[in-house]
Amino acid sequence: MKRILTGDRPTGRLHLGHYVGSLKNRVRLQDEYECFFIIADLHTLTTKPEKTKELKDNIYQMVLDYLSIGIDPKKSTVYIQSQIPEVAELALIFGNLTTVPRLERMPTLKDVMRDADIQVPSYGLLGYPVLQAADILMVKANLVPVGKDQVSHVEVTREVARDFNRIYRSTSEESKPTSEVSSQVLPIPEVLVGEIPTLPGTDGAVKMSKSAGNVINLSDSPEEVEKKVMGMYTDPTRIHPTDPGHVEGNPVFTYLDAFGADSDKQQITKYQELYRQGQVGDIEVKKYLVKVLNNFLDPIRENRARYERDPELVERILKEGTAKTRTEAQKTLLEVKAAMKLDYFV
Ligand code: ATP
Ligand code: MG
């Protein structure tokens, strides 16, 4: 069975952006792939090395988010990155297969530094994509479902895997062209971006993001959803409800498209037409969006409430998932070191 690896940094609750970018694909592909979902706590150190106190609770809440949207621990493996020391060793090895300028050119680096108010990147922050390559290749993942901002990172993973396979292929295979090498140590993973590659924020910013504070969380109450939606950015060119409005680039309509059920489609199309013609006000459309979002979130809330009553389950899922992943990590590390001829004297 082919494998998936993807995950999230435990910096807070998961939101609608995570859902459309990556979570939806994860739930959908659980039967087709052997899935590993990483809670990437080591990656939080790259921007907030001092904020380790909240991690434990954030991890717990993140597992509740996972379970409530339909990640099934009987099918999929959820694990904690920092409890797998092998990943650090792999990252150390992979750090030699990519250059500093390559990492300095990552488009995400600039954004992250701006958001986190960092003037000079640490060695760890620069190495973010290298650690991610170690996560992905450690379980030999074939597919990585992520939001659009992560595509450039997976590209680094692909380069690392290709370089590794080329540099350390066994002597018997050296004469063959790379394409014919059957026994590659590391598979080259594909990236899978969600139907909506980047969900905008409630403030109209390009990306809904924890650090920007423009999110609707999967765990928000109906009242919180209502408050956030009624305060949403819409079409700045439209002053009166009778002015013709823009649907494209208007996050209210983007959310309707993303979260409307099939039974909402007709009404959504109607609102789009009326909005363009200046025949419906922002308030009416927003009220409709509140309903749509709460209908989408209600079953998630019910699941969450059920799992909240069973904290031991969360602990068990993490323990078992981490143990299983560690076995895979140890296996891959042995293969990697053998391919490198680093398996001497032991
Ligand atoms: P932070 O602001 O702390 O960076 P984040 O909200 O960007 O947090 P991450 O943990 O960096 O979340 O991302 C986890 C996954 O969710 C990644 O695959 C990312 O691409 C995806 N993702 C995050 N925000 C969005 C969004 N607005 N639209 C689509 N995908 C998203
Ligand atoms: Mg991010």
Side-chain angles (χ1 to χ4, degrees), residues 192-260:
L192 176 70
V193 176
E195 254 170 71
I196 297 179
T198 309
L199 192 75
T202 51
D203 58 355
V206 180
K207 186 175 168 238
M208 179 178 280
S209 161
K210 276 172 283 192
S211 34
N214 58 7
V215 306
I216 295 178
N217 291 320
L218 296 169
S219 52
D220 278 350
S221 68
E223 295 71 30
E224 282 168 319
V225 169
E226 181 172 7
K227 194 165 153 241
K228 288 180 180 177
V229 170
M230 296 317 284
M232 261 178 86
Y233 169 102
T234 54
D235 175 1
T237 64
R238 193 171 188 242
I239 296 156
H240 307 289
T242 48
D243 296 343
H246 294 88
V247 165
E248 285 72 31
N250 184 332
V252 171
F253 283 96
T254 310
Y255 292 7
L256 282 175
D257 272 339
F259 299 100

Side-chain angles (χ1 to χ4, degrees), residues 6-11 14-22 26 48 62 112 115 128 145-150 196-201 206-212 215:
T6 186
D8 311 274
R9 300 188 306 152
T11 47
L14 293 179
H15 54 65
L16 296 179
H18 295 123
Y19 185 81
V20 296
S22 169
R26 294 185 209 176
K48 298 190 178 96
M62 187 161 275
V112 168
D115 292 347
Y128 192 113
V146 283
K148 189 172 163 235
D149 59 315
Q150 291 290 323
I196 297 179
T198 309
L199 192 75
V206 180
K207 186 175 168 238
M208 179 178 280
S209 161
K210 276 172 283 192
S211 34
V215 306

Side-chain angles (χ1 to χ4, degrees), residues 20-305:
V20 296
S22 169
L23 298 171
K24 195 175 172 186
N25 274 330
R26 294 185 209 176
V27 175
R28 183 171 68 84
L29 295 170
Q30 277 182 112
D31 293 311
E32 269 172 73
Y33 287 81
E34 186 178 2
C35 294
F36 292 86
F37 300 132
I38 177 174
I39 299 187
D41 56 341
L42 293 177
H43 273 113
T44 67
L45 303 178
T46 61
T47 48
K48 298 190 178 96
E50 71 288 356
K51 286 212 168 168
T52 48
K53 267 209 309 282
E54 297 117 68
L55 288 175
K56 191 173 179 191
D57 186 54
N58 285 348
I59 290 170
Y60 177 75
Q61 295 297 338
M62 187 161 275
V63 180
L64 286 180
D65 281 331
Y66 282 176
L67 294 171
S68 59
I69 58 141
I71 285 179
D72 181 349
K74 290 197 195 73
K75 298 178 189 162
S76 299
T77 304
V78 179
Y79 74 97
I80 304 177
Q81 184 185 32
S82 63
Q83 305 309 309
I84 311 229
E86 287 75 14
V87 75
E89 199 172 337
L90 268 185
L92 183 110
I93 291 169
F94 293 161
N96 301 293
L97 301 180
T98 188
T99 67
V100 171
R102 173 75 181 93
L103 296 170
E104 282 171 336
R105 275 200 309 272
M106 298 303 293
T108 43
L109 181 64
K110 220 170 55 235
D111 297 345
V112 168
M113 285 175 61
R114 189 198 51 226
D115 292 347
D117 203 18
I118 294 172
Q119 269 71 46
V120 185
S122 68
Y123 175 61
L125 180 58
L126 202 60
Y128 192 113
V130 177
L131 181 55
Q132 204 170 342
D135 297 325
I136 295 169
L137 299 175
M138 185 180 85
V139 298
K140 299 194 174 183
N142 308 96
L143 191 70
V144 187
V146 283
K148 189 172 163 235
D149 59 315
Q150 291 290 323
V151 174
S152 58
H153 287 186
V154 182
E155 190 48 43
V156 172
T157 300
R158 290 164 56 84
E159 289 169 15
V160 165
R162 267 195 222 108
D163 283 348
F164 185 94
N165 290 337
R166 182 178 45 76
I167 296 170
Y168 301 113
R169 70 185 141 138
S170 65
T171 31
S172 61
E173 284 168 337
E174 252 162 33
S175 49
K176 297 187 208 162
T178 320
S179 58
E180 280 177 31
V181 175
S182 51
S183 58
Q184 292 191 333
V185 177
L186 302 172
I188 317 292
E190 299 292 328
V191 66
L192 176 70
V193 176
E195 254 170 71
I196 297 179
T198 309
L199 192 75
T202 51
D203 58 355
V206 180
K207 186 175 168 238
M208 179 178 280
S209 161
K210 276 172 283 192
S211 34
N214 58 7
V215 306
I216 295 178
N217 291 320
L218 296 169
S219 52
D220 278 350
S221 68
E223 295 71 30
E224 282 168 319
V225 169
E226 181 172 7
K227 194 165 153 241
K228 288 180 180 177
V229 170
M230 296 317 284
M232 261 178 86
Y233 169 102
T234 54
D235 175 1
T237 64
R238 193 171 188 242
I239 296 156
H240 307 289
T242 48
D243 296 343
H246 294 88
V247 165
E248 285 72 31
N250 184 332
V252 171
F253 283 96
T254 310
Y255 292 7
L256 282 175
D257 272 339
F259 299 100
D262 286 343
S263 55
D264 297 310
K265 296 282 181 259
Q266 219 180 338
Q267 182 60 49
I268 293 172
T269 310
K270 207 163 122 200
Y271 273 141
Q272 287 172 341
E273 281 164 21
L274 293 173
Y275 198 85
R276 285 198 183 97
Q277 293 159 4
Q279 290 178 15
V280 64
D282 278 337
I283 294 179
E284 184 176 337
V285 186
K286 282 181 174 178
K287 280 190 174 152
Y288 185 68
L289 176 60
V290 171
K291 239 180 19 203
V292 162
L293 286 180
N294 279 329
N295 284 343
F296 167 75
L297 291 171
D298 273 340
I300 297 175
R301 292 180 181 124
E302 276 166 37
N303 288 340
R304 191 184 182 92

